[in-house]
Amino acid sequence: MVLEATMICIDNSEWMRNGDYTPNRLQAQAEAVNLICGAKTQLNPENTVGVLTMAGKGVRVLVTPTSDLGKILACMHGLEMGGEMNLAAGIQVAQLALKHRQNKKQQQRIILFAGSPIKHEKKVLEMIGKKLKKNSVALDIVNFGEDDDGKTEKLEALLAAVNNNDSSHIVHVPAGPNALSDVLISTPVFTGDGEGGSGFAAAAAAAAAGGVSGFEFGVDPNLDPELALALRVSMEEERARQEAAAKRAAEEAAKKEKEGEQQSSSQDATMTDRASVPASEADNKKNELTDEEQSLLQQALAMSMDDPAPSHDLRDTDMSEAAEDDPDLALALQLSVQDSTKDTANQSDMSKLLADQSFVSSILASLPGVDPNDPSVKDVIASMQSQSETQEKKDEDKTSKEEEEKK
């Protein structure tokens, strides 16, 4: 790994208020400086980075070369803009700061941001470049913003004077939608030379390009094993969570489907039962009505078949005995006998009515749930008619017998 001390020269002139680089030129520089400082300090724990400004009231060193990344990032806040950029003075101060570095084994490098016009002549810049080359100082130039008064040509001449074995670079960044840091992250200014192209810079460049790199999660486990392990564990936990959620959803879907099948089968069984119950109830009701009617008809038939003669004789005997003991009782018995005679006459009339088939059919048709054409009903009516005829015949025979006895 390259052991290096770097000074970053920032252009904070009035030209940095321009918004052609998102969000403005000064803020775009600050973001790029933060990434470069992080890359340099991650490449080697002994690398140091310093920052200075080239405009305003004069060249100002914000922080001398240090490996404390927090101190470097803190110095970028609250930068003031104003005045014109003094490129020559900035490079000379940066060279002086590198000369007084603590570790003399560190290679020296200056990163120059030039976003405003350069007032110096080409020859002055060439002389500065030769001095840097003599002191083994590499120079990286970031050219953005205006290109007035041959700015690009002057910077190219400066690079040609300082370059030694292709250790120095220049990058031209046009205005556009891309951030300044996104453009620089894949250039030699960011990745460095030789071994400087590996490690944190390569991973950051791959992340900026869309996260595609040779390492899992875009992080080299050799440089940051803890971060790589944390990312791997997090990914495994997320994968396990997704698998558990998918399994739970599948189980719930299967359970709902099973419940739906059971519910549909139970509904079918219920509908079948409900369909069979009314039919059975109707059949039972029909049978019950038929049995009830038959029982009523049988009872009526039995009443019509009763022989009133024995009861009549018994009544005469009781009446004669009661009359001997109590005249009032005898009178009451006589009245009851008359009523019984009337009932007998009424029974005789009922027998005549039962003999009338049309009258019986009309009466049965008026009854609810009774079908006069039912064979069982017809059989009962026929039996009742035959019994009434038999009873009438007996009554006639009895009457004729009584008449003969009276004669």
Side-chain angles (χ1 to χ4, degrees):
M1 292 183 291
V2 177
L3 181 60
E4 195 173 59
T6 306
M7 282 297 295
I8 301 176
C9 302
I10 298 175
D11 184 359
N12 61 329
S13 64
E14 288 289 344
W15 297 87
M16 297 303 102
R17 301 184 187 276
N18 199 324
D20 51 352
Y21 294 85
T22 307
N24 56 46
R25 293 184 182 181
L26 184 63
Q27 189 62 34
Q29 282 186 94
E31 294 176 358
V33 169
N34 291 340
L35 286 176
I36 292 173
C37 292
K40 295 294 183 181
T41 54
Q42 287 288 335
L43 285 176
N44 195 318
E46 297 183 10
N47 282 355
T48 58
V49 181
V51 181
L52 61 82
T53 56
M54 299 182 292
K57 297 180 180 180
V59 178
R60 179 187 173 193
V61 178
L62 300 179
V63 61
T64 55
T66 177
S67 59
D68 188 352
L69 184 59
K71 186 184 295 185
I72 298 170
L73 299 178
C75 74
M76 298 300 299
H77 295 285
L79 290 179
E80 296 180 358
M81 291 182 285
E84 295 181 358
M85 178 183 64
N86 191 344
L87 182 62
I91 294 175
Q92 291 173 358
V93 172
Q95 182 184 357
L96 185 62
L98 291 174
K99 184 178 180 180
H100 291 85
R101 66 191 183 280
Q102 293 181 355
N103 189 353
K104 300 301 181 181
K105 294 182 179 180
Q106 291 175 327
Q107 297 182 12
Q108 304 173 79
R109 181 177 295 275
I110 297 175
I111 299 177
L112 174 67
F113 285 87
S116 58
I118 300 174
K119 63 181 180 179
H120 305 288
E121 297 293 335
K122 184 189 297 185
K123 293 181 179 181
V124 175
L125 296 178
E126 290 176 350
M127 289 175 60
I128 294 173
K130 291 177 181 179
K131 187 176 180 180
L132 292 176
K133 183 177 181 181
K134 181 180 178 180
N135 294 311
S136 301
V137 179
L139 178 66
D140 291 333
I141 303 173
V142 180
N143 179 24
F144 66 102
E146 274 73 22
D147 190 13
D148 300 335
D149 300 331
K151 173 187 172 185
T152 302
E153 185 180 355
K154 293 177 181 179
L155 293 176
E156 292 285 354
L158 174 61
L159 178 68
V162 74
N163 197 7
N164 183 19
N165 296 327
D166 200 22
S167 61
S168 300
H169 314 88
I170 184 170
V171 178
H172 304 281
V173 183
N178 295 328
L180 184 61
S181 57
D182 293 342
V183 177
L184 293 178
I185 204 167
S186 58
T187 63
V189 175
F190 190 86
T191 58
D193 298 322
E195 294 181 356
S198 62
F200 179 85
V212 181
S213 66
F215 305 107
E216 189 178 10
F217 312 117
V219 177
D220 187 1
N222 296 324
L223 293 176
D224 198 342
E226 294 181 357
L227 177 59
L229 179 61
L231 291 173
R232 187 178 297 107
V233 171
S234 177
M235 180 62 70
E236 291 177 357
E237 290 178 352
E238 179 64 19
R239 187 182 295 110
R241 187 191 64 80
Q242 292 179 357
E243 291 177 356
K247 184 177 180 181
R248 193 181 306 110
E251 291 177 355
E252 291 179 357
K255 186 176 180 181
K256 289 182 180 179
E257 184 177 358
K258 186 176 181 180
E259 290 178 355
E261 292 178 356
Q262 292 179 353
Q263 185 175 4
S264 61
S265 61
S266 62
Q267 288 179 354
D268 295 340
T270 304
M271 292 178 65
T272 304
D273 295 340
R274 289 180 179 177
S276 60
V277 167
S280 61
E281 289 180 354
D283 295 339
N284 294 333
K285 186 174 181 181
K286 182 176 180 181
N287 293 333
E288 290 175 358
L289 290 175
T290 304
D291 294 341
E292 184 178 359
E293 293 169 1
Q294 289 180 357
S295 62
L296 290 174
L297 292 174
Q298 291 292 342
Q299 185 178 2
L301 181 60
M303 291 174 64
S304 63
M305 292 178 65
D306 289 341
D307 188 5
S311 61
H312 181 70
D313 295 339
L314 180 61
R315 288 174 184 171
D316 291 342
T317 304
D318 294 339
M319 185 184 298
S320 59
E321 293 177 354
E324 293 176 356
D325 297 335
D326 190 351
D328 294 334
L329 180 59
L331 179 60
L333 289 174
Q334 186 178 1
L335 292 175
S336 66
V337 170
Q338 291 178 357
D339 292 338
S340 175
T341 305
K342 291 180 180 179
D343 292 339
T344 304
N346 290 335
Q347 277 188 345
S348 176
D349 294 338
M350 288 294 297
S351 299
K352 292 180 180 180
L353 290 175
L354 290 173
D356 189 354
Q357 187 174 0
S358 62
F359 175 76
V360 173
S361 298
S362 63
I363 293 298
L364 293 176
S366 63
L367 296 175
V370 179
D371 186 8
N373 298 323
D374 192 350
S376 59
V377 175
K378 288 183 177 181
D379 293 340
V380 173
I381 293 174
S383 62
M384 291 175 63
Q385 290 177 352
S386 61
Q387 290 175 1
S388 67
E389 291 177 357
T390 304
Q391 185 67 27
E392 288 179 356
K393 188 175 181 180
K394 287 181 179 181
D395 294 340
E396 290 177 357
D397 294 341
K398 184 177 180 180
T399 304
S400 60
K401 188 177 179 179
E402 290 178 354
E403 290 178 355
E404 289 177 357
E405 288 177 355
K406 289 180 180 181
K407 292 180 179 180

